[in-house]
Amino acid sequence: AHAFHRNDALSPDSGTAAAVSGTLARAFIPVWKQAAEYFTGVVVSNFGGTSFNLNLAAYDTAGTLEPLGQNPFSTSVGAGLQMSKLGWEFFQGNAYHEDLSWIELEADNSNRMGSIFLYGVNDTQLLDGAESQTVYGKRLFFTRPVDEGFFDGWDPDIHMCIVNPTDEEVTVSCWLKGATGASRQFHTIPPGGFLAGDASELSASVEEATNAYMDIEVTEGPGVVGFSRIEFPGVRTAL
């Protein structure tokens, strides 16, 4: 009450409000190739002014955590610093265990995380790398899915990996399209799972397709990330 209003103004108590500050940065390493002669290195950088908590988790084709020594793995990365280790060193796994996985990276309370991964063999003559992926999409294109063109005669090993980093099941259409033919196959990928293989395993047939590319389309679900690795054993290189 006051001079211009004679009665107290009352209202019911409001609901309790909560606020949380900070962000969660995610990145995806779409393939971790484990074998006696192979390695995958993971580099995580902190470009911010404060440290952040880093969480890594490795998943199998079914979206289940790999049975490793410590999976998930958590640590802290200081401001302006980076952490660089082989995959099995992070997870305290077996360096000679043969398997394919994918790795999810999460940085708590930071949007200043950067990450790359390197893949190769122990003598480093087969070596390349890429940035970790941070978004997923409804459509992907692999531009060199089959052994043709400048690959002729080099006997390349072409391997593609399609990862579902979401918590929903996805269905993907893997369509190999070429100038002289096409083949198509549908696959279902569980939450956190992935699909891996060459063009014949993903699309059923490569015999009729020339000048071909692989069209990956998500027909159901939020999206996927993808990666292609091509090895040339005879000339000891990879891309």
Side-chain angles (χ1 to χ4, degrees):
H2 52 81
F4 303 101
H5 184 79
R6 296 185 178 184
N7 302 311
D8 289 338
L10 303 176
S11 69
D13 291 339
S14 67
T16 301
V20 178
S21 62
T23 58
L24 175 67
R26 297 177 73 205
F28 316 115
I29 295 176
V31 62
W32 171 22
K33 184 170 184 176
Q34 304 175 69
E37 71 277 15
Y38 284 90
F39 69 85
T40 299
V42 179
V43 182
V44 181
S45 300
N46 181 353
F47 299 108
T50 59
S51 63
F52 60 64
N53 294 322
L54 173 68
N55 304 297
L56 296 89
Y59 297 93
D60 63 15
T61 55
T64 303
L65 287 171
E66 288 277 11
L68 301 165
Q70 189 172 345
N71 185 24
F73 171 80
S74 298
T75 188
S76 178
V77 182
L81 301 178
Q82 71 174 22
M83 182 167 288
S84 176
K85 292 185 178 183
L86 301 180
W88 66 268
E89 291 178 313
F90 275 110
F91 297 107
Q92 300 177 22
N94 180 359
Y96 302 102
H97 172 66
E98 296 199 8
D99 198 7
L100 279 175
S101 311
W102 74 277
I103 299 174
E104 180 179 36
L105 310 174
E106 292 184 345
D108 290 337
N109 298 320
S110 177
N111 59 359
R112 299 294 184 178
M113 178 181 71
S115 176
I116 64 170
F117 63 103
L118 304 170
Y119 55 88
V121 294
N122 291 341
D123 63 7
T124 68
Q125 292 186 46
L126 261 164
L127 180 67
D128 205 349
E131 287 185 69
S132 299
Q133 300 181 26
T134 57
V135 296
Y136 47 85
K138 290 277 193 177
R139 201 166 187 187
L140 308 176
F141 298 94
F142 292 111
T143 58
R144 293 172 292 207
V146 294
D147 182 2
E148 62 175 349
F150 68 89
F151 287 174
D152 285 343
W154 298 106
D155 193 26
D157 179 13
I158 304 172
H159 189 268
M160 290 165 280
C161 189
I162 304 165
V163 176
N164 175 9
T166 77
D167 57 4
E168 298 179 35
E169 182 179 272
V170 301
T171 299
V172 294
S173 162
C174 300
W175 199 344
L176 184 68
K177 299 179 179 180
T180 57
S183 61
R184 189 180 193 182
Q185 191 168 348
F186 289 87
H187 303 270
T188 299
I189 308 176
F194 70 92
L195 174 69
D198 60 21
S200 63
E201 292 169 317
L202 297 185
S203 65
S205 176
V206 299
E207 296 180 359
E208 301 299 326
T210 59
N211 297 323
Y213 65 94
M214 182 75 75
D215 183 351
I216 308 293
E217 184 175 5
V218 177
T219 58
E220 294 184 30
V224 294
V225 298
F227 186 71
S228 176
R229 173 191 174 106
I230 305 172
E231 298 180 14
F232 300 87
V235 291
R236 304 295 290 162
T237 192
L239 57 92

